[in-house]
Amino acid sequence: MAKSDDCVHILQGLLVFGNVVIGMCGIALTAECIYFVSNPHGLYPLLKATENNDIYAAAWIGIFVGLALFALSILGIIGVIKASRTLLLVYIILMLITFAFEMASCITAATHRDSLTPSFFLKQMLERYQKSETANNSDNEVTKTWDELMLQNHCCGVQGPSDWQEYTSAFRLTHSDADYPWPRKCCVLDAQGLPVNLDGCKLGVPGYYNSNGCYDAISGPVNTHAWGVAWFGFAILCWTFCVLLGTMFYWSRIEY
Amino acid sequence: RPHSRPRHPGARTMLPLLLLLLPTAHAIVELTYTPVLTQTPPLEGLTTTSTFVLDQPRCVFGGYDNADIWLVVALDKAASTFNNTAEPGTLETSFQGFPDPVSAYMTLNATLANYPCPKPAGDITVLRVGSETSCAKDETRPTCNGPLPGPGPYRVKFLALQGSEPVAETKWSDPIMLRTAKSPNSISTTDSGHSAGMIAITTILSILFAILLAGLVAMLVFWGSESCGGSSTFSKPESVTVRRYNTHHVYDQPAARL
């Protein structure tokens, strides 16, 4: 009897501890996903423009899953302490539903991160940057985002200024190659936003233009976002798996 | 030396004799300089789709102080048939007629004063062929340095004219090819592979979810059955169980249950 009681208490203690960790991780997941959804690096327009913003959908799901995990962990703690079969059954079923949603979020984030290759951004930039007579707003957003990006990170194009030479683009339709081998934002600009040396920039003299591509500046935050949602969610789910198995075992041992 | 071409361009006494020989012999000096694309400093815009950048001909036309130095830009196949007596600023050498019917045009007029020798160290001395867009369609500016109409190949040389007589020329350059721009539709975005991380996440999570579902099914199937109950069941702390019953004194129940 005493040994069985000890085992019971140990199991209960472990399950309560497991649920506490789940609750805290749920809050952390919600906070992390809110941070990503708030678009801190200003890259959302680039992803929205091609309807490839599933990484943001994954983050939105993450917010609600985090809150659900927190609520369910409290339910789990109550159910374990009260040793109530119905409460624990409800807990297990709701947790499985939450598990399924979080699984979807992780896989979505990971899969769509894989599709954000340099070619993807290159094609979008060539087709939309400075596209004239544009009726929809998203192209203006793309142009503004790229301008900001090139200004802040001192970069040009996706892989370099030669992107503008190797491919025709919407930009090329309105700006002649001789006057604008690449956009003016690729030049080194002074405090007023004018090129320091326009001829040097057009020729491509080192020091008067930005020679490196912007892909690193884009892929850094996008990677952090995607892997943050995917791997943290994965870790939470592994822990939740263990806690759920323990809860199922505990449930099967309760007298009714 | 029995050579019809004078070796010294400064030997002006030879000039009248040369003028007599003009119909039968080349009167102009062929310098050994070959125009080249600029190698130092390395330029990103060395060749674009409609322009290219040449080194200025510094320390090449020494002694031709009064000559106008022109740049001749020709299609590769027309370089050998170019006539040095062609006059700049006419329809036959106008930029606006290039490449059809004009097969070689003359532009970038300069004098020796524009190309001082020696070149100051650290200065970037280049000629950008194709940089004037404002006069590209202006028929009144036949010597416009307009953007080239196609990817080429082109060959260039410098020609020094005194008055309207050609007096010196450089060699023809190697054929210069410009860049060709592809359409962005040729960029393939569908071929991205799956990273190892994504495959790991998917498989592991699927397995875990499957195990949990199996556990849930097992729980529901064996609900109520005592076969798993066995030896280590434990009782709930407060609710009443009908397991142990006492036919005797009711008041002793609470103590006996614990």
Side-chain angles (χ1 to χ4, degrees), chain B residues 15 32 39 45 51 66 76 89 92 108 117 127 142 153 167 200 217 229 248 252 258:
Chain B
L15 209 56
T32 53
Q39 301 301 319
T51 68
N66 297 334
D76 187 19
E92 290 78 29
L108 278 177
C117 180
L127 292 174
V167 292
V217 166
H248 300 298
D252 287 336
L258 295 168

Side-chain angles (χ1 to χ4, degrees), chain A residues 81-96:
Chain A
I81 292 179
K82 279 196 165 175
S84 148
R85 271 201 156 190
T86 39
L87 270 185
L88 286 181
L89 187 62
V90 166
Y91 165 80
I92 287 174
I93 291 177
L94 289 181
M95 263 299 206
L96 279 180

Side-chain angles (χ1 to χ4, degrees), chain B residues 9-258:
Chain B
R12 295 194 186 278
T13 52
M14 296 279 288
L15 209 56
L17 286 172
L18 288 171
L19 284 175
L20 288 174
L21 292 169
L22 200 56
T24 56
H26 292 289
I28 73 173
V29 178
E30 177 158 324
L31 304 166
T32 53
Y33 175 76
T34 314
V36 289
L37 294 174
T38 305
Q39 301 301 319
T40 49
L43 297 176
E44 180 82 35
L46 184 68
T47 55
T48 69
T49 53
S50 62
T51 68
F52 58 93
V53 182
L54 294 172
D55 267 337
Q56 288 180 0
R58 297 276 176 125
C59 309
V60 170
F61 288 96
Y64 291 98
D65 299 1
N66 297 334
D68 288 327
I69 303 172
W70 290 87
L71 178 72
V72 181
V73 180
L75 296 171
D76 187 19
K77 52 188 193 306
S80 47
T81 57
F82 178 71
N83 191 344
N84 281 328
T85 56
E87 299 206 2
T90 60
L91 271 180
E92 290 78 29
T93 57
S94 74
F95 168 76
Q96 286 77 16
F98 185 78
D100 181 53
V102 173
S103 60
Y105 68 97
M106 300 172 76
T107 183
L108 278 177
N109 181 13
T111 62
L112 202 57
N114 297 117
Y115 302 140
C117 180
K119 174 177 102 90
D123 273 10
I124 299 175
T125 56
V126 296
L127 292 174
R128 188 161 181 248
V129 179
S131 62
E132 276 188 272
T133 47
S134 52
C135 56
K137 299 266 193 302
D138 187 356
E139 304 271 328
T140 61
R141 294 274 320 273
T143 57
C144 181
N145 181 18
L148 294 159
Y154 302 102
R155 299 179 79 170
V156 298
K157 72 171 181 182
F158 290 98
L159 187 60
L161 298 179
Q162 210 150 28
S164 53
E165 298 297 320
V167 292
E169 64 173 358
T170 64
K171 292 197 198 317
W172 281 106
S173 67
D174 292 331
I176 298 171
M177 276 296 291
L178 298 182
R179 299 211 216 186
T180 320
K182 304 189 278 255
S183 159
N185 296 328
S186 63
I187 305 173
S188 115
T189 53
T190 53
D191 231 13
S192 52
H194 292 295
S195 63
M198 174 259 170
I199 294 178
I201 288 182
T202 310
T203 45
I204 293 177
L205 287 184
S206 310
I207 294 172
L208 296 186
F209 190 60
I211 295 175
L212 286 178
L213 278 182
L216 179 68
V217 166
M219 267 169 57
L220 295 176
V221 162
F222 292 117
W223 190 353
S225 107
E226 283 307 312
S227 58
C228 287
S231 50
S232 55
T233 53
F234 51 87
S235 57
K236 292 192 267 195
E238 68 266 36
S239 54
V240 179
T241 66
V242 264
R243 218 152 259 281
R244 290 179 302 189
Y245 53 93
N246 196 328
T247 52
H248 300 298
H249 304 290
V250 183
Y251 304 105
D252 287 336
Q253 297 279 357
R257 230 180 283 131
L258 295 168

Side-chain angles (χ1 to χ4, degrees), chain A residues 42-43 45-46 125 128-131 139-157 164 171 175 182-187 189 210 214 218:
Chain A
L43 293 173
L46 292 186
M125 180 185 80
R128 296 187 189 228
Y129 179 74
Q130 298 240 11
K131 188 165 162 185
D139 289 342
N140 289 334
E141 291 290 322
V142 169
T143 302
K144 267 195 281 191
T145 306
W146 269 105
D147 282 339
E148 268 296 308
L149 205 57
M150 294 201 279
L151 207 58
Q152 303 274 2
N153 299 294
H154 306 292
C155 57
C156 183
W164 302 103
F171 172 76
H175 297 79
W182 33 78
R184 289 282 184 263
K185 289 281 190 291
C186 292
C187 301
L189 301 175
N210 300 321
C214 296
I218 297 173

Side-chain angles (χ1 to χ4, degrees), chain A residues 17 24 27 40 57 63-66 73 77 85 99 115 163-164 168-169 171 189 206-207 218 221 234 254:
Chain A
F17 171 70
M24 293 195 311
I27 298 289
I63 292 178
F64 294 113
V65 163
S73 71
I77 291 173
R85 271 201 156 190
F99 191 100
S115 73
D163 288 341
W164 302 103
T168 58
S169 52
F171 172 76
L189 301 175
I218 297 173
F234 177 75
I254 299 176

Side-chain angles (χ1 to χ4, degrees), chain A residues 17-78:
Chain A
F17 171 70
N19 278 301
V20 164
V21 170
I22 289 179
M24 293 195 311
C25 287
I27 298 289
L29 183 67
T30 302
E32 183 196 23
C33 290
I34 288 179
Y35 172 69
F36 286 136
V37 165
S38 70
N39 190 26
H41 293 279
L43 293 173
Y44 182 62
L46 292 186
L47 299 176
K48 187 170 93 132
T50 49
E51 288 98 41
N52 201 350
N53 56 345
D54 282 338
I55 290 191
Y56 284 90
W60 275 106
I61 294 178
I63 292 178
F64 294 113
V65 163
L67 292 173
L69 284 177
F70 178 70
L72 285 177
S73 71
I74 295 179
L75 177 68
I77 291 173
I78 296 174

